[in-house]
């Protein structure tokens, strides 16, 4: 069985920062620059058609992981098996083409899962990656430093943090606070790893 993962049990202070829905001219390059300056690695859940159109944006950033977020950001829960398979398959090919590496994990748009999408994910050997913490941009629109505090204070070892590198302007609240979030978390001893690296760290829950 391929797992569905919200976070990873680990004693190590590891965190997987994830960005969904790119690559897009607005604001994938900014996010890549911040990650490079802060020496943090992340996982980008790419929309296949964006990877096909805008693959050049990510071509030079090989330190990150690139993962499958379907071809056109459909709600997989509404699709039958063949449609769900095709939504993953077209994206798998486009992402492989754009990055030179096959994606190893997948995230369903909106976090919506159905039996057919789990079965399709199993065909590719994908772990299905959700999240246990997310940027709450719209809640902190009038208080951006509050979002930095919230993320710095809510992250725990094994956290998978959901963010977006494109979308409505609200998303800038997180992107503008990103460097400070990374610095705060590093000061707490956190290391930024890719989702696949975090999955490899999985350790059984400590025995009492
Ligand atoms: Zn998405």
């Amino acid at each position: 069985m391929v797992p569905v993962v919200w976070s990873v049990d680990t004693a190590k202070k590891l965190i997987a920062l994830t960005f969904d829905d790119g690559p897009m001219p607005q604001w994938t390059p900014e996010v890549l620059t911040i990650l490079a300056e802060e020496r943090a690695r992340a996982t980008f859940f790419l929309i296949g058609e964006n990877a096909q159109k805008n693959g050049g944006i990510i071509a030079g950033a090989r330190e990150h992981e690139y993962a499958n977020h379907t071809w056109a950001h459909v709600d997989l829960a509404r699709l039958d098996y063949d449609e769900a398979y095709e939504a993953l398959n077209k994206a798998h090919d486009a992402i492989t083409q754009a990055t030179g590496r096959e994606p190893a994990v997948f995230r369903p748009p909106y976090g919506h899962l159905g039996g057919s999408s789990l079965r399709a994910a199993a065909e590719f050997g994908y772990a299905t990656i959700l999240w246990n913490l997310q940027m709450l941009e719209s809640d902190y629109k009038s208080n951006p430093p509050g979002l930095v505090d919230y993320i710095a204070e809510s992250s725990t070892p094994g956290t998978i943090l959901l963010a977006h590198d494109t979308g409505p302007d609200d998303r800038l609240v997180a992107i503008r606070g990103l460097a400070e979030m990374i610095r705060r978390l590093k000061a707490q001893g956190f290391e930024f790893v890719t989702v696949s690296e975090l999955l490899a760290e999985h350790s059984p829950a400590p025995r009492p």
Side-chain angles (χ1 to χ4, degrees):
M1 259 318 282
V2 290
V4 178
V5 179
W6 288 264
S7 65
V8 167
D9 281 328
T10 175
K12 296 185 193 167
K13 281 191 153 180
L14 302 175
I15 181 167
L17 180 53
T18 66
F19 292 92
D20 288 10
D21 298 352
M24 288 294 278
Q26 211 176 13
W27 298 282
T28 307
E30 285 85 347
V31 168
L32 289 172
T33 298
I34 294 164
L35 294 174
E37 284 171 357
E38 301 302 326
R39 297 176 175 277
R41 289 156 66 233
T43 302
F44 289 82
F45 287 89
L46 304 181
I47 296 176
E49 58 183 2
N50 291 347
Q52 189 177 68
K53 262 187 302 197
N54 305 318
I57 293 173
I58 52 168
R62 298 187 56 83
E63 66 273 36
H64 305 299
E65 179 170 12
Y66 296 99
N68 194 329
H69 197 42
T70 75
W71 173 252
H73 211 269
V74 281
D75 180 352
L76 291 172
R78 306 175 73 89
L79 303 186
D80 67 20
Y81 173 77
D82 288 343
E83 293 165 331
Y85 180 88
E86 205 40 39
L88 292 184
N89 190 43
K90 277 180 83 174
H92 187 96
D93 288 349
I95 294 162
T96 304
Q97 193 89 46
T99 66
R101 284 174 297 184
E102 288 190 54
V105 298
F106 129 89
R107 172 175 285 159
Y110 318 105
H112 289 182
L113 277 172
S116 59
S117 48
L118 283 169
R119 213 180 117 207
E123 282 296 312
F124 291 91
Y126 289 157
T128 298
I129 307 300
L130 298 171
W131 58 88
N132 66 319
L133 184 65
Q134 63 182 303
M135 302 288 191
L136 299 174
E137 292 98 337
S138 47
D139 292 0
Y140 287 95
K141 230 174 152 172
S142 57
N143 175 26
L147 181 59
V148 176
D149 290 342
Y150 168 71
I151 295 298
E153 287 160 14
S154 306
S155 298
T156 53
T159 283
I160 298 174
L161 171 55
L162 169 65
H164 291 81
D165 54 332
T166 187
D169 283 354
D170 285 13
R171 301 268 160 82
L172 286 170
V173 175
I175 293 170
R176 289 186 177 138
L178 181 59
E180 184 60 21
M181 287 174 202
I182 293 169
R183 284 179 214 147
R184 292 264 301 268
L185 287 163
K186 282 191 167 183
Q188 292 174 43
F190 279 96
E191 184 188 341
F192 289 81
V193 296
T194 66
V195 165
S196 287
E197 287 167 343
L198 188 60
L199 293 178
E201 283 293 334
H202 178 269
S203 55
R207 293 200 184 88

